[in-house]
Amino acid sequence: MPELVIPSPGFPAHPCDGRVSVGPSWKDAPYPVLVLDPSGAVLDANPPARLLLTDRHGGGGPPDVVPSWLTDAHRSVTDTTGTTPAGPSAAGEIGDRFFEAHPSRLEDGSVMWWLVDGTGRRRAETSLQSVREQARTRALVSSTLLSSLNVPRCAEVAAQLAAEHLADAALVVLPPVGRRYPVTHAVRGGPAVHASRQFDPRAVAGLVEALQGFPPVPTRWIDPGSLPGWVVPKGFDRPVGSVIITPLPGHGVSAGALILLRSSTERAFSPDEEAFARLFAARAGAALSAARLYSEQSAITTTLMRDLLPPTLESLHGVEYAGRYRAASDHERVGGDFYDVHPGADASKETFVVLGDVAGKGLEAAVLTGKIRNTLHALLPLASDHEQVLTLLNGALLSSHHTRFATLVLASVRREGHRVRLRVTSAGHMPPLIIRADGRVEEAATHGTLVGALPSVSVRTAEEVLAPGETCLLYTDGITEARGGPLGDELFGEDRLRQALVECAGMPGDAIVERVQMLAAQWLGRGRHDDMATLAVSAPRTVPTADVVGVGGPHGRNT
């Protein structure tokens, strides 16, 4: 601000003008003006300044004592040589008002201070800063909370964020499990701690209503001194001065309650902070509700998926079984291909083996696969008669609302001495391949019509005998119809599969299915493919004496 020349009342406008010109002076300014000598003492003040200095302590302040922040600014101005700084050189509070002080040097060395009231602007800036901070907090809450679909982790993040940005400590109380309530609490700067507590929520004012999703009880109605001990987390060593209890609204039902604690040494929660706490709770409740819904659906999916996934295979009654399955989509675990091994009551009874392929892929095909597997399980008492099993299954599929059909291979397996005898039946499926110990690959002489398409099924059963170290491989068309190769448009084919199996002579069953799946995957590259299932039935090279139940003859085929 430029230096001012302040005419005194009565000072002539011109030296030659004898008339007295009376005009406005600094004392007539509508805002406070003070004149301080070089030492900081008040030389003069206009009426608004005197009124301000008198009223700054409730009407009892001396009119000639300036606030310390203005004294420091005056000392800085008088100690500095040169021009008067442009703009305010200091700012501070006088009473409940906020002022900016603008200095003007006078010729006698004193300084005139013009005090501009900036209370309204300061409050607006403070309010804007608060709104911006809340917006940043909301964005942080949304991005952090929604990044987890795990309920305990979500409660942990909610408690930590609330303790960091809303209060000195925070508790997230989830709906009860039985008679106990999951509680997650955090103190500012510390980790979140999970606990399971049994308590009466009626002992905390407003907690019952919050857990039921009703509007929160006003903070002024809650007596911090009446809080039970479990509400104050370990590490919060100061008296509680202010409390907020608000619901965590979920999708149709309450996701729990949020308790915020502030110590008595801090200011109480303001109405704006209460409103922001409710907004925070709404977002935290939505995230917790989404996490809970995901957990419930994941548990249901896991339970249902357990019966759809292919079983883990191992040695059984002196026969080795191995299987591998790859769904058509890498992000799916089930599809239209399946296999099952149903063991006999003991080593003298046949083990019933099934490998099948339902038309289609994905979850819809997997549902029909599950129904076929359940039907075959119910037909186990008839498993010795493959044709009857397939006829009954065919009728069940024809009477179903599903329009899909399936191809199957059934095998009845039993250990006889050092050899393994099989009866295999194909129903519209590729015949199994026999890998002999000398490297020959033979095709089982079985064939038949598919299941679920025609009024009746017609099949032919073949008998095979496996010598020690020999394997019968059952597979689906996802292997032979894998399209890839150098140009990406050629089928893997049965010839390549047979050649690969020649090289697998004498290998264990699990190594054979692993190699077949690996070769098919390499042939595909990154191309699309159907479900791929392989199952190997092998006669081990050595068998425990307890598993030997008879003497077998040479391997061969019978119809």
Side-chain angles (χ1 to χ4, degrees), residues 200-221:
D200 185 359
R202 293 173 296 182
V204 182
L207 182 56
V208 173
E209 294 83 354
L211 288 172
Q212 294 178 355
F214 290 106
V217 171
T219 299
R220 62 182 181 277
W221 292 5

Side-chain angles (χ1 to χ4, degrees), residues 313 315-317 321 340-347 349-353 377 380 413:
L313 304 182
S315 180
L316 182 66
H317 297 328
Y321 299 92
D340 276 313
V341 174
H342 303 280
D346 53 52
K349 301 296 188 296
E350 290 181 326
T351 293
F352 187 55
V353 178
H377 191 273
L380 284 178
V413 184

Side-chain angles (χ1 to χ4, degrees), residues 35-61:
V35 180
L36 306 183
D37 66 11
S39 66
V42 178
L43 294 178
D44 205 350
N46 68 346
R50 292 186 179 279
L51 181 62
L52 175 66
L53 296 178
T54 301
D55 292 345
R56 63 176 174 147
H57 295 297

Side-chain angles (χ1 to χ4, degrees), residues 174-471:
L174 300 181
V177 179
R179 296 184 178 181
R180 304 185 70 87
Y181 291 82
V183 178
T184 304
H185 58 80
V187 179
R188 179 178 296 177
V193 179
H194 300 283
S196 178
R197 301 186 180 277
Q198 184 173 352
F199 56 81
D200 185 359
R202 293 173 296 182
V204 182
L207 182 56
V208 173
E209 294 83 354
L211 288 172
Q212 294 178 355
F214 290 106
V217 171
T219 299
R220 62 182 181 277
W221 292 5
I222 304 175
D223 178 15
S226 66
L227 295 176
W230 67 266
V231 176
V232 183
K234 185 178 180 179
F236 191 85
D237 52 0
R238 293 166 291 177
V240 180
S242 187
V243 184
I244 289 179
I245 300 178
T246 185
L248 294 168
H251 300 294
V253 295
S254 174
L258 175 67
I259 303 176
L260 301 177
L261 307 178
R262 185 170 282 176
S263 70
S264 58
T265 59
E266 300 288 339
R267 57 186 176 84
F269 290 106
S270 67
D272 287 344
E273 288 173 328
E274 288 190 54
F276 182 62
R278 290 194 293 271
L279 181 60
F280 174 93
R283 300 200 176 194
L288 282 166
S289 182
R292 183 176 299 278
L293 181 61
Y294 175 81
S295 298
E296 292 174 352
Q297 291 180 340
S298 178
I300 294 172
T301 301
T302 300
T303 302
L304 296 176
M305 191 74 71
R306 190 177 298 122
D307 290 335
L308 295 177
L309 292 173
T312 301
L313 304 182
E314 56 186 11
S315 180
L316 182 66
H317 297 328
V319 181
E320 293 180 352
Y321 299 92
R324 291 293 185 275
Y325 174 77
R326 181 183 179 184
S329 299
D330 292 336
H331 64 277
E332 295 177 344
R333 301 173 62 192
V334 295
D337 290 5
F338 69 96
Y339 55 79
D340 276 313
V341 174
H342 303 280
D346 53 52
S348 65
K349 301 296 188 296
E350 290 181 326
T351 293
F352 187 55
V353 178
V354 183
L355 180 138
D357 183 0
V358 173
K361 49 192 173 185
L363 186 58
E364 187 175 352
V367 172
L368 182 56
T369 294
K371 292 185 177 182
I372 293 176
R373 294 173 70 183
N374 289 335
T375 302
L376 289 172
H377 191 273
L379 296 174
L380 284 178
L382 308 174
S384 60
D385 189 340
H386 292 181
E387 185 171 0
Q388 185 179 9
V389 169
L390 292 171
T391 298
L392 293 174
L393 177 61
N394 185 67
L397 292 181
L398 289 176
S399 62
S400 172
H401 67 279
H402 292 280
T403 59
R404 298 176 182 271
F405 56 87
T407 64
L408 295 167
V409 176
L410 308 183
S412 294
V413 184
R414 183 172 58 188
R415 181 82 193 191
E416 293 183 352
H418 294 284
R419 301 177 183 274
V420 173
R421 184 174 295 277
L422 300 90
R423 291 186 298 111
V424 294
T425 303
S426 172
H429 203 88
M430 293 83 64
L433 297 176
I434 312 298
I435 309 166
R436 299 300 181 186
D438 58 6
R440 290 179 295 120
V441 176
E442 302 174 353
E443 183 178 279
T446 177
H447 57 79
T449 57
L450 48 81
V451 180
L454 302 175
S456 62
V457 294
S458 176
V459 295
R460 179 184 179 184
T461 300
E463 290 193 6
E464 297 289 345
V465 176
L466 303 179
E470 296 182 343
T471 297

Side-chain angles (χ1 to χ4, degrees), residues 92 111 147 160 481 487:
V111 179
S147 64
Q160 287 181 319
E481 294 181 3
L487 300 179

